[in-house]
Amino acid sequence: MPRYKLTLEYHGAPFVGWQRQREGVSVQGCLEDALAHFDPAPGPVQGAGRTDAGVHATGQVAHVDLARAWAPFRLTEALNAHLRPHPIAVLGAEAVPETFHARFDARLRTYRYRILIRRAPLALEAGLAWQVRHPLDVAAMAAAARHFEGHHDFSAFRAAQCQAASAFKTLDRFVTAEKNHPNGDHEVVFEIEARSFLHNQVRSMVGTLERIGAGKYPVNRLIQALKSGERRLCGPVAPPQGLTLTNVQYISEIL
């Protein structure tokens, strides 16, 4: 069976997450249902990242085995036609070796988290950022974020239902940026890169940084959370709408 790599974007708001579940609409389920319209026996769609409910993607990668060979352009067009009206777009498809695995072969995943600081409700950006109505000390947040870089036990920053065998992860980059919008909005953007992440890890780290930026937590609390692994020292989990999976890289793309 020929195998295809798919590059996807989607708005996470209507979905229960990437993974097909007994109830609710999932990204994986929509893709598999769309494939079933034109391929007689599509295999399960395997994603590089199991994004949670409400989390977006601009560079998700998946693979699927099909019963027959398809020209990549025709496969892309057919999928997009049958995915309507769901907010999912197949950006590209390519034939890959049957040994390729979207999840297990990934060597670098990049997530972006956006915070918008403003009092007025979000209109155009609703569902695409975490709105915070109080000031944040971005310099303090950026300095604190650097403690996450490197190899650590992230037990304090994982969900209780996380199924990862080990809480030790290596964060390659944790970059903080800020910009002022012409309408007066102040935006804080985090970009985080690692080979893999724990369940809720990024949102837990951002939630802790927001508490530091708001002056509610000292930086030492973050350091102690990393050292002790105690969940009680971690800040609240940041809401999903600010999080986007932006890129997945494979060894052939990194070298």
Side-chain angles (χ1 to χ4, degrees):
M1 298 179 72
R3 179 164 293 189
Y4 292 89
K5 174 185 174 185
L6 308 175
T7 303
L8 314 161
E9 73 173 23
Y10 48 84
H11 193 298
F15 303 112
V16 294
W18 164 267
Q19 196 165 7
R20 184 188 283 272
Q21 300 179 34
R22 291 183 180 179
E23 297 183 1
V25 181
S26 69
V27 179
Q28 182 186 40
C30 288
L31 287 164
E32 291 173 351
D33 292 346
L35 285 163
H37 279 91
F38 57 85
D39 191 87
V45 178
Q46 303 287 343
R50 296 177 181 176
T51 52
D52 288 335
V55 176
H56 316 295
T58 57
Q60 171 73 285
V61 174
H63 80 261
V64 65
D65 295 329
L66 300 181
R68 51 158 289 193
W70 287 82
F73 175 77
R74 287 194 63 201
L75 177 58
T76 300
E77 292 290 290
L79 270 169
N80 284 329
H82 288 288
L83 281 167
R84 299 188 184 102
H86 300 293
I88 306 171
V90 180
L91 304 178
E94 62 178 291
V96 291
E98 63 180 15
T99 55
F100 173 83
H101 198 288
R103 180 183 176 192
F104 298 127
D105 289 351
R107 292 296 179 267
L108 192 68
R109 293 170 173 85
T110 305
Y111 281 90
R112 181 183 66 233
Y113 197 99
R114 300 178 63 219
I115 297 176
L116 281 176
I117 305 169
R118 62 182 258 173
R119 293 291 303 174
L122 298 181
L124 298 180
E125 295 279 11
L128 295 173
W130 178 14
Q131 181 182 4
V132 173
R133 291 179 169 84
H134 48 264
L136 294 175
D137 185 340
V138 181
M141 295 166 75
R146 287 195 285 271
H147 291 286
F148 287 127
E149 293 183 330
H151 188 67
H152 302 286
D153 179 353
F154 285 97
S155 292
F157 299 90
R158 69 190 298 188
Q161 65 270 33
C162 180
Q163 298 178 353
S166 172
F168 283 88
K169 296 292 178 182
T170 301
L171 263 61
D172 298 295
R173 293 177 67 243
F174 200 125
V175 178
T176 307
E178 59 179 321
K179 60 180 178 180
N180 293 311
H181 293 253
N183 65 354
D185 290 358
H186 190 62
E187 182 173 352
V188 183
V189 181
F190 301 107
E191 189 170 277
I192 307 102
E193 289 184 350
R195 180 170 181 173
S196 62
F197 293 88
L198 301 166
H199 189 188
N200 277 359
Q201 181 183 345
V202 173
R203 290 165 56 198
S204 294
M205 292 188 296
V206 171
T208 302
L209 292 175
E210 186 277 334
R211 294 288 79 196
I212 291 172
K216 302 299 183 181
Y217 286 2
V219 176
N220 189 58
R221 179 162 174 160
L222 182 158
I223 297 170
Q224 288 301 313
L226 279 174
K227 289 181 178 179
S228 68
E230 294 185 38
R231 181 71 180 174
R232 65 179 180 82
L233 296 174
C234 173
V237 178
Q241 65 265 25
L243 185 60
T244 301
L245 173 60
T246 60
N247 191 37
V248 182
Q249 286 186 281
Y250 295 86
I251 190 66
S252 60
E253 300 167 334
I254 296 173
L255 295 178

